[in-house]
Amino acid sequence: MPRDADTITKREFWLRIECDNAAFDDDDLCTEIARILRARADCLDDSQIIPGYHRRVFDINGNACGTVEFTASDYRR
């Protein structure tokens, strides 16, 4: 069904990383964030991202430390 000319689709991609465990201690903070970003980018290269995409993010120690989400919603101007 075609959308009305006044309808806009808002799309958002969110990556949240909680940095409060041992993998992010002191000197490891930037290194661990960079590692997670590279890993997520590699996953996205190999995926088709659609609204409702939701994945957990894990640190180097295997602990869940965040989420990746993609949403889309239509709204009228």
Side-chain angles (χ1 to χ4, degrees):
M1 166 187 267
R3 292 184 307 151
D4 183 293
D6 289 332
T7 301
I8 297 174
T9 299
K10 179 179 181 181
R11 300 185 303 169
E12 295 181 318
F13 180 86
W14 291 88
L15 171 61
R16 182 180 53 85
I17 301 171
E18 296 174 8
C19 305
D20 57 358
N21 61 38
F24 299 94
D25 284 349
D26 302 324
D27 295 336
D28 296 330
L29 177 69
C30 292
T31 302
E32 184 60 9
I33 291 171
R35 187 198 65 77
I36 290 170
L37 291 172
R38 281 192 290 281
R40 294 292 26 161
D42 289 345
C43 287
L44 289 173
D45 279 343
D46 297 332
S47 299
Q48 177 164 347
I49 189 168
I50 58 173
Y53 180 92
H54 181 91
R55 300 289 185 273
R56 292 172 66 185
V57 173
F58 296 90
D59 67 21
I60 193 76
N61 298 324
N63 299 310
C65 64
T67 56
V68 175
E69 297 180 53
F70 179 71
T71 61
S73 56
D74 289 343
Y75 63 94
R76 293 185 55 80
R77 291 185 222 211

